[in-house]
Amino acid sequence: EKAYLTYLVEEAATGLDLHGAGVVVDCANGGSSRVAPRVLGRLGAQVTAIHAEPDGENINRDCGSTHPASLQAEVRRQEARLGIALDGDGDRCLLVDERGALVDGDGILALVARHEVTRGAWSDPRIVATVMSNKGLHRTLRDAGVGVVTVDVGDRNVVEGLRREGLHLGGEQSGHIVFGPDHHHIGDGIYTALRVLRVMHETDRPLSELAACYHPFPQVLVNVPVASKPHVSEMPSVAEAVRAIEEELGEDGRVLLRYSGTEPLARVMIEGPDLERIQRRAHELAARISAEIGA
């Protein structure tokens, strides 16, 4: 623990001065409960730690990156500069800005990538994201001249993508961010928070301003009760409808069609910049599925 703390303070946070900054950290009653508040305190922050009393059973219970509501409330109450939500094993990080708004993994990827590219730190301006990342992230990064390599869900796939392409940053919407060779290809929530704090420090801008570059596109999810679960290729009219919607949305949208693993349901998810349009298309697609295999 001591070596890890020293590394974070002396190497990962070199030159980062947090004196006077109010920071609230939610440790999810997990592995970061001792070290996260100490790291931030060593850097001069005024730290409030919540959910930092693990008893072996309360890990992630109504707290941490999967339940950030209590952190958001505490940041607002204290008018803190930043809230940090870790998870039980400390590899995820979601952030809360000074207004109490949540910044997820896509938001973190967007603001860090834009900063690194603006200061000319990367010879290859691309990042790695998974299929779960919102298409709004792709739009935000495209506007900043940053490309996205898309991989399947899972931090293992993100790490493989970073190694294969020789890139510096990748991650998931869930807050699992990996800083390739900068941090030994390890997902580390405290390190992620320090990297964002560094961007705030170097730009002298609050998190709400930095995160405003990213606008997630709306998503519509429709569940369709089904009698069977054939592959889409066995339903030509459905496959054709999916193709038509994907063509219409272009690179700013997507269609995900999958069956529930536990219930007799088909799930239709469409994402795109225009909410009314994707709602209409989702219900049209759902009706077509229902006509073919509806329960």
Side-chain angles (χ1 to χ4, degrees):
E1 186 180 285
K2 190 180 176 199
Y4 175 51
L5 187 140
T6 303
Y7 162 75
L8 287 173
V9 172
E10 293 179 7
E11 290 187 48
T14 310
L16 184 58
D17 181 1
L18 301 180
H19 278 89
V23 178
V24 184
V25 58
D26 178 346
C27 301
N29 292 317
S32 306
S33 295
R34 275 163 54 89
V35 74
R38 287 165 71 192
V39 167
L40 295 161
R42 290 263 185 103
L43 296 170
Q46 295 174 343
V47 186
T48 301
I50 62 173
H51 307 299
E53 296 174 357
D55 63 13
E57 293 185 3
N58 60 356
I59 189 166
N60 289 323
R61 188 191 294 157
D62 299 326
C63 59
S65 61
T66 47
H67 301 90
S70 60
L71 173 65
Q72 290 173 278
E74 189 61 25
V75 168
R76 287 192 195 101
R77 192 181 73 75
Q78 289 198 23
E79 298 182 351
R81 189 180 300 178
L82 181 73
I84 301 168
L86 303 169
D87 67 338
D89 61 357
D91 57 6
R92 291 186 198 186
C93 167
L94 296 185
L95 298 173
V96 174
D97 73 17
E98 74 285 359
R99 298 169 180 172
L102 192 67
V103 179
D104 69 6
D106 284 349
I108 292 170
L109 288 172
L111 74 90
V112 173
R114 282 171 63 101
H115 180 68
E116 296 299 323
V117 166
T118 301
R119 69 188 193 93
W122 295 344
S123 55
D124 186 340
R126 293 183 297 156
I127 69 157
V128 176
T130 76
V131 291
M132 293 305 290
S133 275
N134 190 285
K135 279 287 183 180
L137 174 66
H138 295 241
R139 160 81 69 88
T140 296
L141 293 179
R142 196 163 69 236
D143 291 347
V146 180
V148 179
V149 176
T150 302
V151 297
D152 279 339
V153 174
D155 58 302
R156 184 173 57 87
N157 295 315
V158 172
V159 170
E160 275 176 14
L162 290 171
R163 289 187 191 279
R164 185 179 66 246
E165 303 289 335
L167 303 177
H168 286 268
L169 176 67
E172 302 192 84
Q173 200 176 48
S174 63
H176 200 137
I177 310 296
V178 182
F179 288 87
D182 303 4
H183 191 59
H184 316 289
H185 293 88
I186 295 167
D188 181 333
I190 302 174
Y191 183 84
T192 297
L194 292 174
R195 287 292 294 260
V196 174
L197 279 160
R198 181 180 294 286
V199 177
M200 292 167 65
H201 181 69
E202 289 177 0
T203 58
D204 196 25
R205 293 169 70 192
L207 182 59
S208 62
E209 261 183 47
L210 291 168
C213 68
Y214 166 60
H215 302 284
F217 287 164
Q219 263 184 8
V220 174
L221 180 66
V222 181
N223 288 326
V224 187
V226 295
S228 60
K229 298 180 179 181
H231 192 270
V232 177
S233 60
E234 295 172 41
M235 301 179 285
S237 72
V238 173
E240 179 52 43
V242 170
R243 249 195 320 274
I245 296 167
E246 284 177 336
E247 211 167 280
E248 182 185 343
L249 293 172
E251 58 183 336
D252 277 342
R254 60 184 174 142
V255 182
L256 273 181
L257 198 54
R258 61 188 184 84
Y259 294 112
S260 162
T262 53
E263 300 171 275
L265 293 173
R267 303 195 195 283
V268 175
M269 193 284 284
I270 303 186
E271 191 174 85
D274 181 344
L275 178 60
E276 277 185 30
R277 174 186 286 183
I278 63 173
Q279 280 177 330
R280 203 162 54 242
R281 294 291 176 261
H283 287 290
E284 286 170 5
L285 186 53
R288 193 160 294 207
I289 292 168
S290 196
E292 290 265 355
I293 52 169

